[in-house]
Amino acid sequence: MSESGEGIVDSAVTFGRLTEEIAREAGEMLLAKRPARPEVLVTKSSPTDVVTALDRASEELIRDRIKTVRPDDAILGEEGGATGEGRIRWIVDPIDGTVNFLYGVPEWAVSIAVEVDGEVIAGAVNVVPRGEVFTAVKGGGAWLAGERLSCNTGVPLDRALIATGFGYESGRREVQAEVLRHVLPRVRDIRRGGSAASDLCSVAAGRVDGYYERGPQYWDYGAGGLIAAEAGARVGGLEGRPANPGLLLCAAPGLFEELHDLLLPLDPERDA
Ligand code: IPD
């Protein structure tokens, strides 16, 4: 595979196929191996921020597959951190929605994206319990089961169904609850699915109108962000910043700005 600028762009479809294949394989392994009640292995930022043995097994499988086909690429994974360097980097969340995975709530996903020079060009989100694999290649649209996705458009804020999520630390949640107190009376309703990757795909599929959250990491939104954008949504941060863990916002143009203007004065990027 050529590593020149053009070669890489030409390869986006190949990367798209690879992200999908590997996300499917990790999903199959997780479904086959998930016990009735998975055990917590360790906790991270708080006692409720958990890692299971299968988070690690999933990331290991994904890393092995990447190394087999693309041994020189860099990888950033939720569990294994950053390895390697170079223009091409894989962004991996082996299980997004770990708490749902733990409890058997059928809303968790394997998320894999590929970026070139910092720009995501391909991604797949496998919402495993639902058997739904969302895919996108930059400039090639967002897809689910052979159907091209487009997000809902023309929905005003007061009719919008908005997904959101909460962090694991109580100081962050205090602010998130305060922000939500202002958002809830202004929208149709709120959904909290428990997987940021899946939430972004829900925007792409028109199952919600928009999504915002303080705190998701790049591995949570790398693939889902491209899928939502390729379905016509705007994905970004506050005040023109690109999507970032400070605040991630996603909705069709129009609703994006309304949601942005509602959130900005609430100072949603702070923690208590
Ligand atoms: C979490 C999920 C959740 C979101 C959190 C994320 P994890 O990822 O995406 O929906 O609200 O911000 O940390 O911990 O399950 O991989």
Side-chain angles (χ1 to χ4, degrees):
M1 197 177 292
S2 161
E3 301 290 282
S4 72
E6 267 182 30
I8 286 169
V9 173
D10 290 346
S11 305
V13 174
T14 308
F15 281 118
R17 188 176 46 73
L18 286 173
T19 56
E20 180 177 351
E21 275 173 21
I22 300 172
R24 281 186 188 276
E25 193 185 337
E28 274 161 27
M29 182 278 288
L30 288 168
L31 266 191
K33 294 208 169 154
R34 186 187 175 280
R37 282 306 290 257
E39 271 186 39
V40 173
L41 210 61
V42 286
T43 58
K44 294 191 281 185
S45 61
S46 85
T48 52
D49 184 0
V50 299
V51 180
T52 68
L54 285 171
D55 281 276
R56 292 201 176 150
S58 175
E59 185 157 328
E60 252 170 56
L61 181 153
I62 294 166
R63 282 178 181 268
D64 278 356
R65 297 300 175 270
I66 295 170
K67 280 183 194 146
T68 304
V69 285
R70 302 278 315 169
D72 299 328
D73 293 353
I75 303 174
L76 173 69
E78 176 170 17
E79 310 307 335
T83 52
E85 42 188 67
R87 297 178 61 198
I88 302 176
R89 188 164 69 141
W90 295 67
I91 314 297
V92 175
D93 193 339
I95 302 178
D96 184 53
T98 313
V99 174
N100 285 347
F101 181 77
L102 195 64
Y103 278 78
V105 177
E107 180 88 14
W108 48 271
V110 176
S111 172
I112 306 178
V114 175
E115 64 166 31
V116 178
D117 296 333
E119 186 187 19
V120 177
I121 58 154
V125 172
N126 181 359
V127 186
V128 182
R130 297 206 306 259
E132 291 188 328
V133 184
F134 296 83
T135 61
V137 166
K138 185 146 187 67
W143 298 83
L144 171 64
E147 302 239 337
R148 192 168 181 155
L149 301 175
S150 44
C151 68
N152 297 337
T153 55
V155 181
L157 186 65
D158 62 358
R159 309 257 186 80
L161 185 60
I162 300 294
T164 191
F166 309 114
Y168 290 108
E169 291 138 328
S170 84
R172 177 160 298 179
R173 286 181 165 195
E174 230 177 281
V175 176
Q176 286 174 321
E178 186 192 321
V179 168
L180 186 62
R181 189 169 65 80
H182 292 270
V183 173
L184 187 54
R186 303 281 308 277
V187 299
R188 179 190 292 274
D189 207 345
I190 289 289
R191 293 291 178 267
R192 197 297 194 241
S195 157
S198 174
D199 288 338
L200 288 160
C201 293
S202 291
V203 175
R207 294 174 184 168
V208 294
D209 299 303
Y211 161 74
Y212 78 91
E213 184 172 346
R214 154 123 178 87
Q217 299 295 314
Y218 194 23
W219 46 76
D220 297 316
Y221 65 80
L226 177 68
I227 291 163
E230 286 294 324
R234 189 170 160 193
V235 183
L238 289 178
E239 296 183 297
R241 290 191 283 279
N244 69 88
L247 195 86
L248 176 60
L249 254 169
C250 173
L255 179 59
F256 181 100
E257 288 73 22
E258 277 200 273
L259 193 54
H260 174 277
D261 294 352
L262 172 64
L263 290 168
L264 185 63
L266 304 173
D267 194 10
E269 292 184 311
R270 80 206 131 91
D271 295 320

